[in-house]
Amino acid sequence: MPGEDAREAAKTVTGSFEDFPFLPELPARGPGADMIGRTAGMLVDLYARVEPSGWRISDRPGRDSRRARSWLGEDLDALEEFTQDYEGPLKVQAVGPWTLAAALELRNGEVALSDAGACRDLAGSLGEGLRLHLDEVRRRIPGARIVLQLDEPSLTSVLRGQVRTASGYRTHRAVDRQVVEAALRDVVGVHADGPVVVHSCAPDVPFALLRRAGAAAVSFDFSLLTERDDGAIGEAVEGGTRLFAGVVASTDAPLSDPAGSVMGVRTLWRRLGLNPGLLAEAVTLTPTCGLAGASPDFARKALAHCVRAARSLADNPE
């Protein structure tokens, strides 16, 4: 979300999504509130600090780690305030193991992706950190049924060997798909008593791999789909995987009418020959990506538009 006021963000998301609020992230506050820093602050027995090139693993906790945890605590305080007596689904999110490995630097300046052992350690530390984080959310909002979202915008680049080295002249070797799947499965398994959504706003989302890793839902930018994705999407829906379809702009732009926003979803459904009655059960509508780059006013309008578009889709699936 845009802005720096945790209470205002919590008020906005709980007011907009009465049936599915989420814990906002406010990266405009600076390092430690950004997605990498926030998740680095959750790690157990691993610490990170800010360098000119980005976040880097360090030997001990420092000011940057403490700041990340402090802001997360502030966000939880605000959400707790606006979810008193709330019962229902509640989404929290963190960076997934492979995007974290593609962004978090080792002491030599190369990202953790360059070292298989570092990737394993990072995934293990992330899993432990997420367990503690989810326990804290349950303690604060006992009526919540937590939905965990893992943000993996770099996943396709990891699988294709497109993550650049520190020099920028080469790329790191592609990671074996079975290794990627196994690490994701371990982290997804941390939330055994609730659903896990994996989000990627990049092209060519690996739907089948994410399903095998245990993701209950896949979140993606709907505008980036091509007909090559039809088979994977059809299999996912028929296998019970929910789609979080990003159909609403995530930066300031004119918003169409709600029916127009979901026209592409209806067209996809017809093309795949799927039962229109499944739409309301199988699809959740979202912005195409995070709203941090939008104005506060547009962010509020985008969230409200998602709700109206979802009602349009449910009321008129065909």
Side-chain angles (χ1 to χ4, degrees), residues 1 3-7 24-34 38 67-68 70-75:
M1 292 290 287
E4 302 180 27
D5 189 329
R7 290 187 76 256
E25 297 179 357
L26 301 174
R29 292 180 296 195
D34 61 295
R38 185 181 182 91
R67 183 170 51 207
S70 174
W71 271 327
L72 178 58
E74 183 180 311
D75 294 338

Side-chain angles (χ1 to χ4, degrees), residues 26 46 82-83 91 96 117 125 146 152 159 197 201 207 246 279 289:
L26 301 174
L46 283 178
F82 288 99
T83 51
K91 184 172 75 67
S125 176
I146 299 175
E152 283 283 16
L159 290 167
V197 185
C201 49
F207 287 92
L279 269 170
C289 202

Side-chain angles (χ1 to χ4, degrees), residues 48-93:
R49 67 177 187 271
V50 178
E51 295 286 342
S53 55
W55 283 88
R56 182 173 296 181
I57 290 175
S58 60
D59 296 323
R60 60 185 65 84
R63 178 181 59 187
D64 297 326
S65 293
R66 289 192 293 270
R67 183 170 51 207
R69 292 177 181 177
S70 174
W71 271 327
L72 178 58
E74 183 180 311
D75 294 338
L76 286 168
D77 289 342
L79 186 66
E80 183 180 4
E81 177 183 349
F82 288 99
T83 51
Q84 294 295 313
D85 302 319
Y86 174 74
E87 294 184 358
L90 171 75
K91 184 172 75 67
V92 301
Q93 57 279 337

Side-chain angles (χ1 to χ4, degrees), residues 17 112 138 173 188 204 283:
F17 291 154
R138 292 187 191 98
R173 183 180 303 173
V188 167
D204 298 320
V283 176

Side-chain angles (χ1 to χ4, degrees), residues 27-278:
R29 292 180 296 195
D34 61 295
M35 60 186 286
I36 299 299
R38 185 181 182 91
T39 301
M42 296 181 190
L43 298 175
V44 172
D45 295 331
L46 283 178
Y47 313 104
R49 67 177 187 271
V50 178
E51 295 286 342
S53 55
W55 283 88
R56 182 173 296 181
I57 290 175
S58 60
D59 296 323
R60 60 185 65 84
R63 178 181 59 187
D64 297 326
S65 293
R66 289 192 293 270
R67 183 170 51 207
R69 292 177 181 177
S70 174
W71 271 327
L72 178 58
E74 183 180 311
D75 294 338
L76 286 168
D77 289 342
L79 186 66
E80 183 180 4
E81 177 183 349
F82 288 99
T83 51
Q84 294 295 313
D85 302 319
Y86 174 74
E87 294 184 358
L90 171 75
K91 184 172 75 67
V92 301
Q93 57 279 337
V95 175
W98 293 107
T99 295
L100 198 60
L104 193 58
E105 298 174 356
L106 302 174
R107 294 172 182 85
N108 64 4
E110 291 292 352
V111 292
L113 192 67
S114 64
D115 185 317
C119 290
R120 287 192 296 272
D121 292 344
L122 196 56
S125 176
L126 175 62
E128 289 301 315
L130 284 174
R131 283 191 184 92
L132 296 174
H133 178 52
L134 296 173
D135 286 345
E136 176 71 3
V137 176
R138 292 187 191 98
R139 184 185 67 78
R140 288 171 175 263
I141 311 170
R145 300 193 302 275
I146 299 175
V147 177
L148 172 63
Q149 176 175 308
L150 297 176
D151 291 322
E152 283 283 16
S154 298
L155 183 58
T156 300
S157 295
V158 168
L159 290 167
R160 291 182 172 181
Q162 295 173 337
V163 177
R164 293 203 169 274
T165 59
S167 69
Y169 293 117
R170 296 185 298 109
T171 57
H172 293 287
R173 183 180 303 173
V175 182
D176 184 271
R177 297 180 76 88
Q178 291 184 331
V179 173
V180 170
E181 182 182 324
L184 278 168
R185 186 182 299 111
D186 288 344
V187 177
V188 167
V190 166
H191 190 38
D193 57 350
V196 176
V197 185
V198 179
H199 167 71
S200 175
C201 49
D204 298 320
V205 176
F207 287 92
L209 184 152
L210 296 177
R211 289 178 57 222
R212 292 194 302 270
V218 180
S219 173
F220 55 95
D221 181 345
F222 190 85
S223 69
L224 297 179
L225 289 183
T226 68
E227 292 193 13
R228 289 189 319 232
D229 298 306
D230 282 6
I233 290 175
E235 289 177 11
V237 172
E238 291 175 348
T241 302
R242 195 174 183 96
L243 306 179
F244 279 44
V247 298
V248 176
S250 55
T251 55
D252 292 44
L255 294 171
S256 67
D257 66 285
S261 294
V262 296
M263 186 181 304
V265 178
R266 292 193 182 100
T267 300
L268 172 66
W269 229 247
R270 286 194 293 269
R271 192 165 72 234
L272 296 177
L274 295 169
N275 179 2
L278 285 174

Side-chain angles (χ1 to χ4, degrees), residues 10-19 22 299-301 303-304 307:
K11 181 180 178 181
T12 296
V13 302
T14 53
S16 300
F17 291 154
E18 295 178 357
D19 300 319
F22 59 90
R300 287 189 290 269
K301 290 179 179 177
L303 295 180
V307 175

